[in-house]
Amino acid sequence: MSDNQYTFENEEYRDTYRHTVSHILAQAVKRLYPEVKLAIGPAIETGFYYDFDAPFSFTREHLDALEAEMKKICKEKLPLERFELPRAEARKLMEEKEEPYKVELIDDLPEDAVISFYKQGEFTDLCAGPHLDSTGRVKGNAIKLTSATGAYWRGDSNRKMLQRIYGTAFPKKDELDAYLAEIEEARKRDHNKLGRELEYFTTSDVIGQGLPILLPKGARVIQILQRWIEDEEQKRGYLLTKTPLMAKRDLYRISGHWDHYLDGMFILGDPHDEEKECFALRPMTCPFQYQVYLNRQRSYRDLPMRLGETSTLFRNEDSGEMHGLIRVRQFTISEGHLILRPDQLEEEFKGCLDLAKYCLETLGLMEKCTFRFSQWNPANPNNKYEGTKEQWDEAQRVMGSILDHLGVKYEIGIDEAAFYGPKLDIQYKNVFGKEDTLITIQIDMLLAQRFGMEYVDKDGEKKTPYIIHRTSMGCYERTLAYLIEEYAGALPTWMAPEQVRVMPMTDRNADYADEVRAELTKHGFRVEVDYRSEKIGKKIREAQLEKVPYMLVLGDKEQEAGEVAVRDRRDGKTTVMPLSEFIEKLAYEVETHQRH
């Protein structure tokens, strides 16, 4: 690495720096709490973490003490020295240090693996590296330990629960301060906090993890989005379907889900008892919608057939993955499948991408999205894919050609494909930088044949169609989470659960408030009236905190003139206007899907 590469703009240097800090953390832990056992400690996108097996729970006081010790280690300018050992000696060293997790890691290394260690002062850790050459390279006042959470050893819920200390580090203190300020802002926008405070959703221990309850506000927003999506899909030639939430295992055996996705499904019955019926809640809709196509014989003139459904799905996610509305076990998705001739593939793929972009742009999420071309891994040890190498090479060649022709800028994700085909994943990050898939478009050249799907071509021959699996807006719950975070709870007027709050100044104005509400409701707006005998200032403050887009203050003057005093939540300004004028303004804002 040249001198000009020793900056955080260089990802390799940034990871090396933060990996070194994770070792400084581990050294501090062993100094202050020598009974603690070490697990692993990598650099991550936002900083680093280290997993520990401790006989106590790490508190903020522990983290503060560790930060102080880490600063001392930085000032000591300890050189980091790499050395290698044969397997037996490496194992003996970690046994002598009473580090059972390190011993297990050594045992699991391949036969020909180079087993390396890094030593800094009295501390030695099993590690492949790389690291900085000295702890003195790290700025001790630019380190922050941010949290301590639980983490299963090696990510296996059947193994011991360890404690993971997260932290971050920068070359300068002002960079750390700026990052911490961003994190504080992110916490304020976190949908898991803000969504509950604004009463969009809640959870209940007696219902279970990953099963959120949408409260009236959240349910209303999702209803609005669902109607919008279904109407838009109808304009684009989609046929609406409604299919069952469960099916016998026979269906999933045909589709391949029984072989490739069984652990991710909720099973009703004994999956190993062939004598009794066994059902499973659906993790996706594709095998169900294929039955619509199979209802009768199809001609080439029937294609493309675009099937759309607002689908409730069930996936047995690991409990450690649950997060608010983003990672859940039951969710609703704008799912669709296009059955088509091979010569229609590019045009229909383009149509799916256009729809996805239109949805994201309208929602105001497009600017933060990235694209990933998710491909198979032929060396996958779990045999998670259907089809031959030739079929996968052809599917990925075709999809790559389409993406390049459409000018899509993408990253490649190896081993991220569906088990039946490659896909374009539209990725989005939450306020903390955690990335998830929001929308996916998949090319499938395999499942139609498994289901016996055919069409009669113009030459009278029976042919096998291609299938595109796609979502137009993705998961409604996840999208709601991102919207709450993007707009800090102040959703655009067109999708806000409450668009207008009417506030009579006194009881004398209550009847006029009823008239205003009735007129607004007649035009399809969502309106509430605050009749309480509270000061108008308090009513306004509460409506502002609840992110209501417009507040209509009605006093004697407004009542006599047939007007409304309109307060906009964005700037707090109040403008008096005829009610008809406000209705026109609101209608335009809603019809054009204004983002503010």
Side-chain angles (χ1 to χ4, degrees):
M1 242 183 271
S2 61
D3 287 346
N4 63 359
Q5 288 181 297
Y6 288 100
T7 70
F8 267 31
E9 292 177 4
N10 178 1
E11 183 179 350
E12 182 183 352
Y13 176 74
R14 184 176 68 240
D15 288 348
T16 300
Y17 186 101
R18 287 172 165 169
H19 191 185
T20 302
V21 181
S22 79
H23 276 226
I24 293 173
L25 166 60
Q27 183 176 14
V29 168
K30 294 299 285 187
R31 280 186 179 183
L32 299 184
Y33 316 107
E35 71 276 21
V36 172
K37 305 303 178 187
L38 305 176
I40 57 171
I44 56 176
E45 187 175 354
T46 57
F48 60 90
Y49 69 79
Y50 209 111
D51 289 347
F52 302 98
D53 186 355
F56 57 87
S57 296
F58 286 107
T59 65
R60 186 67 248 176
E61 288 72 23
H62 289 111
L63 300 189
D64 291 342
L66 289 169
E67 279 182 21
E69 191 64 32
M70 290 170 76
K71 290 177 183 177
K72 291 180 186 177
I73 294 170
C74 294
K75 288 180 180 178
E76 290 171 19
K77 299 182 179 178
L78 303 173
L80 277 88
E81 302 166 358
R82 184 180 188 276
F83 63 93
E84 299 172 8
L85 289 177
R87 183 182 297 269
E89 291 182 34
R91 200 177 192 283
K92 182 182 177 184
L93 175 63
M94 289 295 99
E95 284 179 336
E96 288 173 350
K97 289 184 175 293
E98 297 182 353
E99 297 292 356
Y101 299 99
K102 300 294 183 182
V103 172
E104 181 180 326
L105 291 172
I106 291 170
D107 288 344
D108 288 347
L109 288 172
E111 288 287 332
D112 58 350
V114 174
I115 303 177
S116 61
F117 296 83
Y118 279 83
K119 182 178 186 299
Q120 57 197 60
E122 81 290 353
F123 177 74
T124 299
D125 201 355
L126 172 74
C127 188
H131 286 283
L132 303 180
D133 60 358
S134 168
T135 62
R137 300 281 187 190
V138 175
K139 302 299 180 186
N141 66 348
I143 296 172
K144 185 66 180 175
L145 300 181
T146 52
S147 64
T149 64
Y152 290 113
W153 170 231
R154 306 185 90 165
D156 185 346
S157 59
N158 296 315
R159 306 294 298 274
K160 186 165 184 179
M161 174 71 79
L162 306 179
Q163 292 185 71
R164 176 170 296 176
I165 295 180
Y166 283 99
T168 193
F170 291 85
K172 297 178 182 177
K173 187 175 185 303
D174 59 352
E175 293 177 3
L176 172 65
D177 291 342
Y179 170 78
L180 294 176
E182 287 179 13
I183 291 297
E184 186 56 35
E185 177 61 25
R187 287 197 182 101
K188 292 177 185 175
R189 289 174 172 260
D190 179 10
H191 86 278
N192 208 13
K193 174 179 180 291
L194 190 55
R196 293 172 191 270
E197 291 174 353
L198 293 174
E199 297 188 347
Y200 278 92
F201 76 99
T202 188
T203 50
S204 170
D205 289 342
V206 297
I207 289 179
Q209 271 191 307
L211 299 168
I213 297 103
L214 290 171
L215 299 172
K217 285 184 182 178
R220 182 66 69 197
V221 174
I222 286 183
Q223 181 193 55
I224 292 161
L225 296 177
Q226 179 181 330
R227 288 173 172 174
W228 166 58
I229 292 295
E230 289 180 352
D231 288 347
E232 184 62 33
E233 287 182 345
Q234 184 173 339
K235 292 176 190 173
R236 296 176 185 237
Y238 281 80
L239 304 172
L240 186 65
T241 68
K242 189 172 179 62
T243 56
L245 299 180
M246 69 178 78
K248 296 193 297 184
R249 64 182 148 206
D250 308 57
L251 181 74
Y252 303 115
R253 278 183 170 150
I254 299 171
S255 68
H257 290 101
W258 201 254
D259 294 328
H260 296 281
Y261 205 78
L262 186 62
D263 290 344
M265 297 166 69
F266 288 102
I267 309 299
L268 307 176
D270 184 351
H272 307 295
D273 186 346
E274 297 294 333
E275 299 300 318
K276 295 180 180 178
E277 278 192 325
C278 181
F279 289 78
L281 298 176
R282 63 181 182 185
M284 54 278 293
T285 314
C286 39
F288 294 83
Q289 282 198 322
Y290 298 162
Q291 308 307 310
V292 176
Y293 181 87
L294 291 165
N295 185 52
R296 61 177 171 81
Q297 183 173 293
R298 304 293 176 179
S299 158
Y300 72 96
R301 295 183 183 278
D302 296 324
L303 306 183
M305 176 181 282
R306 307 183 188 101
L307 303 175
E309 182 165 336
T310 303
S311 303
T312 298
L313 304 180
F314 306 86
R315 296 184 185 175
N316 192 9
E317 299 277 5
D318 186 84
S319 60
E321 294 292 317
M322 300 298 104
H323 178 63
L325 297 176
I326 291 178
R327 300 289 286 187
V328 291
R329 287 174 168 152
Q330 175 184 313
F331 56 94
T332 307
I333 197 167
S334 57
E335 195 163 16
H337 297 88
L338 293 80
I339 300 98
L340 44 104
R341 305 190 308 265
D343 62 286
Q344 297 170 324
L345 183 59
E346 180 164 348
E347 186 63 26
E348 291 303 310
F349 190 97
K350 180 176 182 292
C352 294
L353 184 57
D354 285 344
L355 176 57
K357 284 183 173 180
Y358 164 74
C359 292
L360 291 171
E361 285 166 358
T362 304
L363 295 172
L365 302 178
M366 187 68 223
E367 292 175 6
K368 294 184 180 178
C369 288
T370 57
F371 295 89
R372 183 180 71 195
F373 181 6
S374 295
Q375 303 180 1
W376 82 320
N377 178 9
N380 185 287
N382 298 322
N383 189 29
K384 73 179 248 189
Y385 299 107
E386 287 282 326
T388 65
K389 181 179 185 301
E390 291 73 24
Q391 288 172 316
W392 274 92
D393 287 346
E394 173 64 8
Q396 291 183 174
R397 182 195 67 76
V398 170
M399 187 165 183
S401 175
I402 291 173
L403 293 175
D404 293 340
H405 189 241
L406 296 177
V408 178
K409 294 180 181 179
Y410 57 81
E411 294 180 350
I412 291 177
I414 300 297
D415 207 24
E416 296 289 346
F419 70 79
Y420 46 76
K423 54 183 178 156
L424 177 67
D425 289 323
I426 302 180
Q427 303 292 102
Y428 193 90
K429 292 181 180 178
N430 70 6
V431 288
F432 295 110
K434 172 71 168 62
E435 183 176 276
D436 280 298
T437 300
L438 189 51
I439 290 176
T440 184
I441 306 171
Q442 307 169 10
I443 291 179
D444 175 7
M445 299 181 179
L446 299 175
L447 291 189
Q449 188 169 13
R450 292 192 66 150
F451 277 89
M453 298 166 71
E454 296 176 331
Y455 66 93
V456 179
D457 209 353
K458 52 188 167 187
D459 59 7
E461 296 289 322
K462 288 188 175 180
K463 303 284 179 65
T464 301
Y466 285 173
I467 299 171
I468 295 176
H469 306 240
R470 49 99 276 182
T471 51
S472 50
M473 190 196 65
C475 168
Y476 284 93
E477 290 84 356
R478 184 174 290 179
T479 300
L480 176 58
Y482 290 145
L483 289 170
I484 291 170
E485 294 185 350
E486 172 65 21
Y487 295 102
L491 299 186
T493 304
W494 71 272
M495 69 173 84
E498 180 184 350
Q499 295 168 317
V500 183
R501 186 169 297 179
V502 180
M503 302 175 182
M505 295 277 284
T506 67
D507 290 343
R508 294 192 305 275
N509 312 121
D511 289 343
Y512 181 51
D514 286 339
E515 292 174 19
V516 169
R517 176 175 59 178
E519 189 64 20
L520 288 166
T521 303
K522 186 174 73 175
H523 285 81
F525 302 121
R526 297 179 290 280
V527 190
E528 298 291 339
V529 179
D530 187 345
Y531 292 108
R532 295 177 303 159
S533 300
E534 298 282 359
K535 290 182 179 179
I536 200 69
K538 181 177 181 180
K539 292 182 179 183
I540 289 171
R541 282 193 302 275
E542 290 182 0
Q544 197 79 29
L545 287 172
E546 293 177 41
K547 316 292 185 181
V548 179
Y550 290 103
M551 292 145 267
L552 303 188
V553 180
L554 308 181
D556 294 337
K557 288 183 180 179
E558 289 78 21
Q559 183 170 336
E560 289 170 11
E563 295 178 328
V564 290
V566 182
R567 182 184 173 89
D568 191 322
R569 75 174 171 200
R570 288 167 294 176
D571 54 21
K573 293 181 180 178
T574 300
T575 306
V576 178
M577 63 181 73
L579 178 58
S580 59
E581 184 179 329
F582 175 68
I583 288 172
E584 287 180 15
K585 167 185 167 61
L586 195 57
Y588 177 79
E589 193 172 323
V590 171
E591 288 166 9
T592 56
H593 295 128
Q594 298 290 302
R595 292 188 191 173
H596 52 259

